[in-house]
Amino acid sequence: MTALPKTFRVKSFGCQMNVYDGERMAELLGASDMTPASDGEDADLVVLNTCHIRERAAERAYSEVGRLRRDDGSRPMVALAGCVAQAEGAEASKRSKMIDLVVGPQAYHRLPQMIAEAATGLRPIDTDMPAIAKFGGLPRRRRSGPSAFLTVQEGCDKFCTYCVVPYTRGAEISRPWDDIVDEAQALIDGGAREITLLGQNVNAWRGEDGKGRAGGLHSLIRAIALIDGLERIRYTTSHPADLTDALIAAHGDVPKLMPYLHLPVQSGSDAVLKAMNRSHSADSYLRLIERVRAVRPDIAISGDFIVGFPGESEKDFCDTLAIVDAVGYASAYSFKYSPRPGTPAASMEGAIEAQVMDERLQRLQERLRAHSLAFNRATIGKDLTILLDRRGRLPGQMIGKSPWLQSVFVETKASIGELVDVRITHALPNSMGGVLRRSAVAA
Ligand code: 5AD
Ligand code: SF4
């Protein structure tokens, strides 16, 4: 039997959905008589909100657990949460005696109860995947930064052959319309000016609107755009198969929907895309991009890429470079393929040598950097509206996001949460700098 924790820390790894889950867990613990540990202070409870997508994810999570032991030999109560918790389940408690409870991404609304159980010496595990029950068990959102995340959809039915998400996050499920609109309103009341709708396959969101009509993500975006005080809407991550005409149309006529689309392609080779079970070809992907650009010519396209998928030839890889040139990505994430146990690709033949993989990643990243730089340079001399979201390192310097999601550095007395107009004066591949024009909207 140990004392109930009074202070806590939630450490999130990985994607934006984990950042969102981490915030919700912190709100839940805050509402159940615990306070966040201040910087440098030991917390009584540490929640490790883990990510399973990168290589050796479980090993990394266990070493993170090990690091929680303090110099005097004592340790906090440890909750293993997130996708590693989901994947490892009971195995986690067996492998590390330091783990007091294991909670999957669909069960964290039960954290307070599980913490109470852990304090009695039990080691509770909950990796059930009920259909989106957790949201009903979370407190209403109160305070928010200027840019907030809102999970609307979870899980994935696409089963790309390299990916663990369909196994760790389960089948695609959509949160109900009213819950989402209500949470958006609460976030805006709490200070949010930008909302990013999140989902592993966010554009697979399906539901009934307030009037009982079936709708897709586009109808949700249109409804949220009507809320006063909200200035910007984004959504991520999308699958090409679910990019509907109606969603494309929204990019053309919803001014609050920002000109940015994260649409992973993974490879430019049809043979590799087929082996990945991606359900689109290089050509069908390019046609989609053309249609989006027809309604929103200035849109920034962002993507994910995997190099060195089993069987990828030099020609396949060159097709990837070719699609990068054809799209002209504004930003991108690129990875070396690494096998995930239990996925179909893990037992495919034709593994690519590490050296070839390294060399391809380097060539791809050079090409992607050149496109990002070209995209950013094209904004030099233009006035962009920036949503300030943090302070810079230099005195008086603030950093905010452009409509295209680049970070922009500017000297201004305006505060976090304000929208300011900035004339862009210089550009790097990942950021831009400029000078203040005038305050567009007061905070
Ligand atoms: N190996 C390398 N990259 C992967 N991703 C997902 N699974 C793997 C894997 N096994 C990448 C994909 C995906 C992004 C979130 O992570 O590009 O879009
Ligand atoms: Fe993974 Fe593919 Fe689903 Fe994306 S679409 S989460 S890569 S299985």
Side-chain angles (χ1 to χ4, degrees):
M1 184 107 158
T2 49
L4 272 172
K6 292 198 179 65
T7 61
F8 68 90
R9 175 169 293 123
V10 179
K11 249 182 121 175
S12 288
F13 303 85
C15 68
Q16 290 154 323
M17 296 197 59
N18 261 17
V19 174
Y20 173 88
D21 287 346
E23 284 172 8
R24 305 286 335 240
M25 285 191 250
E27 288 166 358
L28 177 64
L29 299 177
S32 28
D33 284 342
M34 280 179 248
T35 48
S38 30
D39 282 350
E41 184 197 0
D42 283 337
D44 300 336
L45 163 74
V46 175
V47 180
L48 292 177
N49 186 22
T50 57
C51 165
H52 201 272
I53 206 135
R54 298 274 78 85
E55 206 172 0
R56 298 193 314 279
E59 275 60 38
R60 286 189 212 189
Y62 290 119
S63 63
E64 200 66 43
V65 170
R67 275 200 287 277
L68 294 175
R69 192 172 291 287
R70 304 178 188 122
D71 293 344
D72 65 1
S74 67
R75 67 170 183 84
M77 180 186 280
V78 178
L80 188 73
C83 292
V84 172
Q86 186 67 39
E88 294 280 290
E91 187 60 28
S93 312
K94 277 194 218 134
R95 266 191 67 175
S96 170
K97 292 280 165 281
M98 282 180 67
I99 296 175
D100 298 293
L101 65 97
V102 180
V103 61
Q106 296 306 346
Y108 63 73
H109 57 293
R110 294 197 53 242
L111 257 178
Q113 189 187 335
M114 293 173 79
I115 291 164
E117 286 168 16
T120 69
L122 294 172
R123 300 176 77 205
I125 297 168
D126 192 341
T127 52
D128 283 354
M129 287 203 201
I132 226 127
K134 71 176 173 209
F135 292 104
L138 299 174
R140 194 161 196 266
R141 313 216 64 180
R142 294 218 173 132
R143 271 207 317 256
S144 168
S147 183
F149 291 139
L150 200 178
T151 292
V152 303
Q153 180 280 339
E154 289 196 60
C156 181
D157 297 341
K158 303 289 186 286
F159 289 94
C160 300
T161 53
Y162 51 80
C163 185
V164 288
V165 167
Y167 312 97
T168 56
R169 289 270 178 167
E172 285 173 7
I173 37 174
S174 300
R175 279 181 78 188
W177 174 280
D178 287 345
D179 286 14
I180 297 167
V181 175
D182 186 52
E183 187 171 332
Q185 184 68 62
L187 287 167
I188 296 160
D189 294 344
R193 316 209 64 187
E194 170 177 275
I195 290 182
T196 303
L197 305 175
L198 296 180
Q200 262 94 27
N201 257 305
V202 71
N203 58 340
W205 184 88
R206 295 286 176 276
E208 282 184 0
D209 69 10
K211 299 196 177 83
R213 290 175 303 219
L217 188 67
H218 62 98
S219 43
L220 202 50
I221 289 170
R222 288 182 191 279
I224 290 171
L226 298 176
I227 305 179
D228 278 346
L230 183 67
E231 306 290 339
R232 295 180 160 191
I233 303 172
R234 303 179 185 278
Y235 63 93
T236 199
T237 287
S238 296
H239 191 287
D242 293 312
L243 189 56
T244 58
D245 292 347
L247 185 54
I248 293 176
H251 274 284
D253 61 19
V254 180
K256 288 184 185 178
L257 183 57
M258 289 293 102
Y260 178 92
L261 175 62
H262 183 66
L263 194 67
V265 67
Q266 312 297 357
S267 166
S269 151
D270 287 345
V272 173
L273 288 169
K274 189 150 187 272
M276 287 177 165
N277 190 32
R278 282 294 293 178
S279 82
H280 59 82
S281 64
D283 199 49
S284 67
Y285 179 90
L286 285 173
R287 282 200 310 266
L288 266 182
I289 301 288
E290 261 171 36
R291 283 170 46 216
V292 180
R293 284 200 166 128
V295 299
R296 187 76 214 224
D298 70 335
I299 198 160
I301 306 292
S302 147
D304 288 350
F305 294 88
I306 296 177
V307 299
F309 189 78
E312 183 190 68
S313 66
E314 173 62 19
K315 159 89 176 55
D316 292 324
F317 174 68
C318 288
D319 288 345
T320 298
L321 294 179
I323 206 163
V324 167
D325 290 341
V327 172
Y329 287 91
S331 67
Y333 301 91
S334 45
F335 310 97
K336 288 189 274 190
Y337 168 73
S338 76
R340 297 286 174 273
T343 58
S347 50
M348 284 182 189
E349 290 180 0
I352 305 300
E353 268 177 55
Q355 205 189 335
V356 175
M357 196 106 88
D358 286 341
E359 180 249 357
R360 285 184 187 163
L361 186 67
Q362 207 179 342
R363 280 159 70 199
L364 174 64
Q365 291 186 338
E366 256 167 47
R367 191 71 65 99
L368 288 167
R369 240 191 324 273
H371 282 287
S372 301
L373 185 59
F375 188 92
N376 292 356
R377 277 198 178 139
T379 64
I380 292 177
K382 290 194 177 137
D383 292 346
L384 306 184
T385 304
I386 308 302
L387 176 58
L388 299 176
D389 58 13
R390 62 205 146 107
R391 267 169 244 295
R393 251 183 278 161
L394 304 178
Q397 189 185 51
M398 298 292 286
I399 308 172
K401 289 286 186 311
S402 79
W404 300 299
L405 207 58
Q406 302 113 323
S407 289
V408 177
F409 290 71
V410 62
E411 209 181 302
T412 170
K413 292 198 174 63
S415 321
I416 290 174
E418 280 187 67
L419 286 157
V420 293
D421 280 354
V422 174
R423 169 133 328 157
I424 302 301
T425 52
H426 55 278
L428 297 168
N430 290 317
S431 65
M432 293 155 2
V435 292
L436 196 67
R437 300 292 291 172
R438 66 183 166 82
S439 195
V441 184

